[in-house]
């Protein structure tokens, strides 16, 4: 389908099983690679919605020395932003419950920055989705935290899980972006690459 990419081995630089699953939907062969120890800090002067793209570019920089001229690497970073505050991955179950309390009954934004790079070329973009949560009871929050795995997810929730069915009352933008990879936009960018 993507004839322009036939000369590249496509690499997904991500530990996320959700990103892997989403990229598989595009039916392009790829290999997962990861390196640890990438510094994901960012300057405090960057607008919050631009932070994920900044971090995806930092990740791409870390892979530049590792890839060969026939490899194309995809890096990404997803963040949940509520009340001018970035909600990353929770540190523990209590932190996850606090994040869900903050999101309860409110609108928040999910931003994913993606960088596509080779040795010679790079393109980056950000996709933002607006998500509205219904009010959650303490019982619902505790049920989710105790029965699912919120600690590996930005904002402490996975939209594809039980919490998405009971809490997400509306989305403006890409559903897949909220899962962690805006596959429609990625496909369009890969066609142009």
């Amino acid at each position: 389908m993507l004839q322009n990419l036939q000369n590249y081995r496509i690499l997904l630089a991500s530990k996320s099983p959700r990103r892997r699953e989403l990229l598989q939907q595009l039916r392009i062969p790829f290999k997962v690679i990861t390196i640890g120890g990438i510094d994901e800090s960012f300057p405090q002067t960057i607008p919050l919605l631009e932070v994920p793209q900044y971090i995806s570019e930092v990740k791409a920089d870390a892979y530049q020395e590792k890839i060969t001229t026939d490899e194309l690497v995809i890096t990404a970073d997803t963040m949940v932003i509520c009340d001018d505050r970035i909600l990353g991955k929770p540190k523990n179950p209590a932190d996850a419950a606090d994040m869900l309390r903050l999101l309860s009954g409110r609108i928040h934004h999910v931003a994913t920055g993606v960088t596509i790079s080779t040795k010679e070329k790079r393109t980056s973009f950000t996709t933002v989705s607006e998500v509205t949560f219904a009010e959650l009871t303490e019982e619902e929050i505790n049920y989710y935290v105790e029965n699912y795995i919120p600690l590996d997810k930005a904002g402490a929730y996975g939209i594809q899980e039980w919490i998405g069915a009971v809490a997400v009352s509306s989305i403006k933008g890409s559903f897949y972006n909220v899962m962690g990879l805006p596959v429609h936009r990625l496909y369009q960018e890969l066609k142009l690459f």
Side-chain angles (χ1 to χ4, degrees):
M1 181 81 68
L2 295 172
Q3 303 296 331
N4 59 318
L5 301 182
Q6 284 186 337
N7 295 328
Y8 291 109
R9 285 184 45 230
I10 298 173
L11 307 172
L12 175 64
S14 177
K15 293 177 186 167
S16 166
R18 289 161 300 282
R19 283 199 187 110
R20 196 171 315 138
E21 176 188 324
L22 290 170
L23 188 56
Q24 284 171 340
Q25 290 184 13
L26 295 182
R27 297 287 186 247
I28 22 182
F30 68 92
K31 180 182 167 191
V32 173
I33 59 166
T34 58
I35 54 175
I38 298 173
D39 179 9
E40 295 186 19
S41 60
F42 54 90
Q44 298 303 309
T45 54
I46 297 178
L48 295 183
L49 291 175
E50 294 176 19
V51 171
Q53 183 173 318
Y54 175 88
I55 293 176
S56 78
E57 291 174 351
V58 167
K59 290 176 179 179
D61 290 342
Y63 285 91
Q64 267 308 297
E65 291 179 15
K66 309 256 184 236
I67 63 172
T68 60
T69 54
D70 66 338
E71 292 177 321
L72 177 149
V73 65
I74 300 167
T75 55
D77 194 75
T78 301
M79 292 185 172
V80 171
I81 300 163
C82 185
D83 277 355
D84 294 324
R85 181 175 150 201
I86 292 174
L87 303 180
K89 294 176 184 174
K91 297 178 208 71
N92 53 48
D95 192 28
D98 286 344
M99 287 184 187
L100 293 172
R101 284 186 201 99
L102 177 66
L103 298 174
S104 175
R106 311 197 51 211
I107 293 172
H108 64 274
H109 294 91
V110 178
T112 301
V114 178
T115 300
I116 304 164
S117 57
T118 64
K119 284 286 196 190
E120 298 82 31
K121 187 175 176 185
R122 175 182 287 194
T123 188
S124 297
F125 63 89
T126 300
T127 299
V128 180
S129 302
E130 182 182 278
V131 182
T132 303
F133 257 37
E135 289 282 345
L136 293 169
T137 65
E138 278 299 306
E139 182 182 12
E140 290 165 334
I141 289 170
N142 291 332
Y143 175 81
Y144 181 68
V145 170
E146 291 166 11
N147 292 283
Y148 291 85
I149 308 167
L151 301 186
D152 75 336
K153 296 170 183 76
Y157 78 94
I159 194 168
Q160 71 280 8
E161 297 174 337
W162 177 86
I163 195 84
V166 301
V168 176
S169 59
S170 72
I171 299 173
K172 289 181 186 168
S174 168
F175 171 85
Y176 295 118
N177 179 54
V178 182
M179 274 184 74
L181 192 66
V183 284
H184 170 75
R185 176 75 187 274
L186 175 59
Y187 181 73
Q188 299 305 316
E189 295 291 341
L190 287 170
K191 275 168 56 172
L192 297 171
F193 195 80

